[in-house]
Amino acid sequence: MAKKVIIFKIGEGSFDIGFPFSLRLSHDETRELLVETEGKLPPAPNLYKSYIDWQCSYRNLANCLRLGANQTQVTNVAIDECLGYINALEINLNQWLQDSLVQSVLFDLFPHLDQQDLIRFVIQTADVRLWQLPWYLWDVWQRYPHTEFALSKPNCQKPSRSSDINTKGKVRILAILGDRVV
C-alpha cells in the first residue's frame, strides 16, 4: 500500500468558459514525480446553479428541523427535495468531469494508481466556488476507497514551525460549534 499525492491545480476561468488545469501525481514520502499533465475543464453553466439550489434546500431543511414540527405535520417533503438537489448536483458534477478532455488526462494517472493506495487529492485553486463543490462525489474515486480530499490556494508554502511555542500541558480550544445545549 503506497501513499500518493495528486495535485489538481485549477487555473483562472469560470463555469461559463471552463477552467485550465494541471494534474501532478507523486509519491508522498519521496516526492518522486510520476505524472504531470495539463488539460481544460469544459464549461458547465448549470453546475454551480445546482450547488446553490442544494445549499438553499439544505438550509431550509435545517431551519425547519430547528423549529420543530407537530406530530401531524408532514416533514419528509423537505428531505426529499434536498435529496433531489444533491442527486442533481452529483449528476452535474460527474457529467462535467466525464468530459473526454478530462478523461484523457485521467488515463495517464490510472496506471500509477492501485486500489489499495492511500491517495491524497489536493484541489489547488483561488476560486472559492470550486472549493464549495462536493469533490468526493466524483465517481472516479469509487475505485479508490482510500482517497482523502484537501483544498489549497495555488501558491502556498509549508508553514515554519516556531521553536518558541510551548504547548506542553496546555489545551487550546479554537471553537465549539453547535446549535443547542445538551
Side-chain angles (χ1 to χ4, degrees):
M1 183 171 10
K3 292 182 179 180
K4 308 263 176 77
V5 176
I6 300 172
I7 306 293
F8 186 48
K9 189 171 187 174
I10 305 172
E12 288 187 33
S14 73
F15 288 102
D16 292 327
I17 62 169
F19 296 90
F21 73 88
S22 66
L23 271 174
R24 182 181 178 111
L25 171 64
S26 61
H27 284 287
D28 195 17
E29 295 94 9
T30 63
R31 302 288 187 225
E32 174 192 354
L33 181 63
L34 299 172
V35 176
E36 187 168 13
T37 185
E38 295 181 348
K40 182 168 172 49
L41 291 167
N46 294 328
L47 178 60
Y48 196 69
K49 183 189 178 317
S50 64
Y51 169 79
I52 295 296
D53 291 344
W54 169 68
Q55 278 293 296
C56 290
S57 174
Y58 184 78
R59 287 188 181 116
N60 288 338
L61 177 64
N63 288 336
C64 290
L65 294 176
R66 280 191 192 134
L67 296 176
N70 298 337
Q71 294 291 348
T72 59
Q73 183 178 354
V74 178
T75 58
N76 63 349
V77 174
I79 293 170
D80 290 342
E81 181 180 278
C82 189
L83 290 173
Y85 282 123
I86 192 64
N87 289 337
L89 176 57
E90 182 176 5
I91 290 167
N92 284 333
L93 178 72
N94 280 297
Q95 284 176 346
W96 184 48
L97 297 170
Q98 286 173 352
D99 183 75
S100 60
L101 295 173
V102 178
Q103 292 299 312
S104 67
V105 171
L106 288 177
F107 286 134
D108 294 337
L109 295 180
F110 293 145
H112 301 281
L113 298 175
D114 186 70
Q115 286 186 337
Q116 300 306 314
D117 286 344
L118 298 174
I119 302 169
R120 189 168 11 139
F121 187 75
V122 181
I123 299 136
Q124 286 188 338
T125 182
D127 193 328
V128 176
R129 296 171 304 164
L130 290 169
W131 286 1
Q132 296 170 334
L133 295 177
W135 291 96
Y136 66 93
L137 293 177
W138 189 358
D139 62 4
V140 75
W141 301 117
Q142 291 176 0
R143 284 182 253 164
Y144 305 99
H146 305 290
T147 303
E148 63 181 32
F149 298 87
L151 302 170
S152 172
K153 290 193 174 203
N155 300 318
C156 60
Q157 300 176 25
K158 184 177 179 180
S160 61
R161 179 109 176 138
S162 178
S163 61
D164 61 325
I165 297 176
N166 183 8
T167 58
K168 294 180 182 176
K170 293 183 181 179
V171 175
R172 296 181 181 179
I173 299 173
L174 177 61
I176 298 174
L177 305 173
D179 64 346
R180 58 183 77 117
V181 176
V182 180

